[in-house]
Amino acid sequence: MSDWERIDALVNEAVTQLGLDPRDADWARNQLLQIEEQGELDNGDAVMGVLALRPSALQDRFCNIEAKQGGMPAQQWFYNYCVASGYVKRAQLDANPRFDSHGLVVTINLAKPEFKNMKKAAAGNAVAGGYPKCTICHENEGFAGRGKRTLRTIPVTLGGEPWFWQFSPYGYFDQHGICVNTEHTPMHVDRDTFGHLLDFVDRFPGYFLGCNAALPRIGGSVLAHDHYQGGGEILPMFKAKTWASLRLDSHPDVAVEILDWPGTAVRVVTRDRDELIEVCDIIRAAWVEYGNAEQGIASHDEQGNRQSALSPSVIRTERGYEMSLIFRNNAISDDYPEGVFHAHPEFWPIKQEPIGLIEAQGLFILPGRLIDQLGQIENALAQGAGLPEDVSEFHLVWDEISAKLAGNRDRDAIKAAVRDELGSVCYRILENTAVFKRKEQTQEFLQALGFVTSV
Ligand SMILES: [Zn+2]
């Protein structure tokens, strides 16, 4: 096919697949000819940047669908659009290994780079003095310098402020996206956060939206710019059973459920928005000031920096709103200089990165290097050999899998044992992140605030 034929085919495809107005076909063809002259016709980003709808036209279509059919059909259309334009790498997401184990979902992400260095992870997305200020600023929409020519966003209003929604190119699950403050302002979680999350799920009731702890090491990778994460999957923690249910006399219609979950989390359930915000903020305000020397919990470090944070995440169900509150703490100790309530070193061969909002809710994203490393381990087990030198740091995993297999060298049995082990390690990492190691301690924390156990 000649370049000329290719360009014609691309323009025709854009008319049928990407909503290119036929009146713009000649104009688009001429833009592609220019791209060809620049030798960029094989650069899908450059081609799609021309063929995809302008942000304003795309937003008009979104609003049109939303007005006729509702917020969720509009989001589904927008997601499909981002897949068709190549911005969302759906094929790569589908290629990632994914399985259920120990009540968690474990995925191995082949596309995402691994950030082992916590400081680098926190700083990794800031660009000193650059334009745009960071990787999630709105000014990235269409920005060739960061490969964002096909990025498109949808404006949303949260708490009366302008924010915008965009899908993640290498999402961890179906329709994974971020909701970003239009202003480049630091991450924070306060009373307003709860209202913001509720505004979003009121408009898009099939999505969840949550906020990372606004602290390094236990939070997200972009702390410099306020944003939330959400999308179309019901994460495992939303389905966690209730260990105990409590209430405040002053808010009898709001249930606070301590979750049967390896991390420390409660779920605040009610149909009433204002009541929900009240109760969530009582718990937030108490947690971020809470200290318990015996349990190694200090709300601030020795320099006076805050190190306790709350991570909220909401969905809508037949019970109304369900706001999960995950208790996080960033303390370090001589034994755990990278974080007491962080994945402990014995698990680092599997996962060393910060445990953010998505993982704290039970969907683990493990590094792509594991494919090769676990492959070596599986081969050695099948051959009855010892732990290979290349992967000697996996001794804990090796010992536990070997004990389970008890000499069984069947390939399927080995594969099943490896997956079971990965789930088990992820479960124990969540136990590491638990600030209260026993559910009774969570209950005592709530009782001290006046909550009483309800039948
Ligand atoms: Zn920014």
Side-chain angles (χ1 to χ4, degrees), residues 234-302:
I234 302 303
L235 300 176
M237 199 179 78
F238 289 125
K239 296 177 253 180
K241 292 201 173 70
T242 301
W243 181 84
S245 184
L246 297 92
R247 277 166 212 274
L248 278 175
D249 282 346
S250 54
H251 300 276
D253 295 332
V254 183
V256 175
E257 300 171 344
I258 298 171
L259 300 189
D260 182 7
W261 187 251
T264 301
V266 301
R267 182 163 54 208
V268 186
V269 185
T270 178
R271 295 185 185 282
D272 188 307
R273 265 183 71 116
D274 295 338
E275 293 275 303
L276 182 78
I277 292 171
E278 281 294 324
V279 172
C280 287
D281 205 47
I282 289 169
I283 296 170
R284 181 199 64 79
W287 166 246
V288 296
E289 295 298 332
Y290 179 84
N292 188 324
E294 210 174 289
Q295 292 164 19
I297 300 169
S299 63
H300 293 74
D301 67 13
E302 285 166 5

Side-chain angles (χ1 to χ4, degrees), residues 119-377:
K119 290 190 185 92
K120 209 170 147 194
N125 293 290
V127 182
Y131 168 85
K133 288 198 187 91
C134 79
T135 52
I136 61 171
C137 274
H138 191 266
E139 289 82 355
N140 286 290
E141 191 167 46
F143 184 54
R146 289 207 189 108
K148 303 274 186 192
R149 279 187 269 215
T150 49
L151 168 62
R152 297 293 182 270
T153 68
I154 296 293
V156 293
T157 304
L158 304 182
E161 295 170 3
W163 289 58
F164 61 93
W165 169 261
Q166 67 184 58
F167 288 108
S168 303
Y170 299 101
Y172 303 153
F173 51 83
D174 189 36
Q175 300 185 38
H176 181 187
I178 54 172
C179 200
V180 187
N181 195 326
T182 302
E183 194 187 332
H184 179 87
T185 183
M187 286 278 293
H188 66 285
V189 175
D190 59 21
R191 186 190 176 88
D192 290 344
T193 308
F194 303 117
H196 289 172
L197 301 182
L198 294 175
D199 283 352
F200 186 84
V201 295
D202 276 345
R203 184 169 168 192
F204 305 113
Y207 279 172
F208 81 90
L209 193 69
C211 184
N212 258 303
L215 291 174
R217 201 189 295 120
I218 55 172
S221 54
V222 180
L223 293 171
H225 193 145
D226 207 7
H227 68 286
Y228 307 132
Q229 292 207 46
E233 184 160 320
I234 302 303
L235 300 176
M237 199 179 78
F238 289 125
K239 296 177 253 180
K241 292 201 173 70
T242 301
W243 181 84
S245 184
L246 297 92
R247 277 166 212 274
L248 278 175
D249 282 346
S250 54
H251 300 276
D253 295 332
V254 183
V256 175
E257 300 171 344
I258 298 171
L259 300 189
D260 182 7
W261 187 251
T264 301
V266 301
R267 182 163 54 208
V268 186
V269 185
T270 178
R271 295 185 185 282
D272 188 307
R273 265 183 71 116
D274 295 338
E275 293 275 303
L276 182 78
I277 292 171
E278 281 294 324
V279 172
C280 287
D281 205 47
I282 289 169
I283 296 170
R284 181 199 64 79
W287 166 246
V288 296
E289 295 298 332
Y290 179 84
N292 188 324
E294 210 174 289
Q295 292 164 19
I297 300 169
S299 63
H300 293 74
D301 67 13
E302 285 166 5
Q303 287 76 43
N305 302 308
R306 183 172 295 289
Q307 59 181 10
S308 284
L310 195 82
S311 209
S313 183
V314 72
I315 54 167
R316 283 177 64 181
T317 69
E318 69 278 4
R319 297 202 293 162
Y321 300 106
E322 301 195 16
M323 181 81 76
S324 300
L325 305 175
I326 309 167
F327 294 43
R328 305 298 302 271
N329 186 272
N330 217 5
I332 56 170
S333 70
D334 292 343
D335 287 344
Y336 298 109
E338 294 289 349
V340 176
F341 304 106
H342 178 266
H344 288 179
E346 65 268 30
F347 303 128
W348 286 356
I350 302 292
K351 177 82 182 176
Q352 190 175 349
E353 294 172 303
I355 301 302
L357 171 75
I358 304 300
E359 284 163 324
Q361 294 182 99
L363 193 155
F364 270 78
I365 302 101
L366 302 181
R369 61 173 167 78
L370 283 176
I371 297 289
D372 173 60
Q373 292 169 323
L374 295 173
Q376 290 189 48
I377 287 172

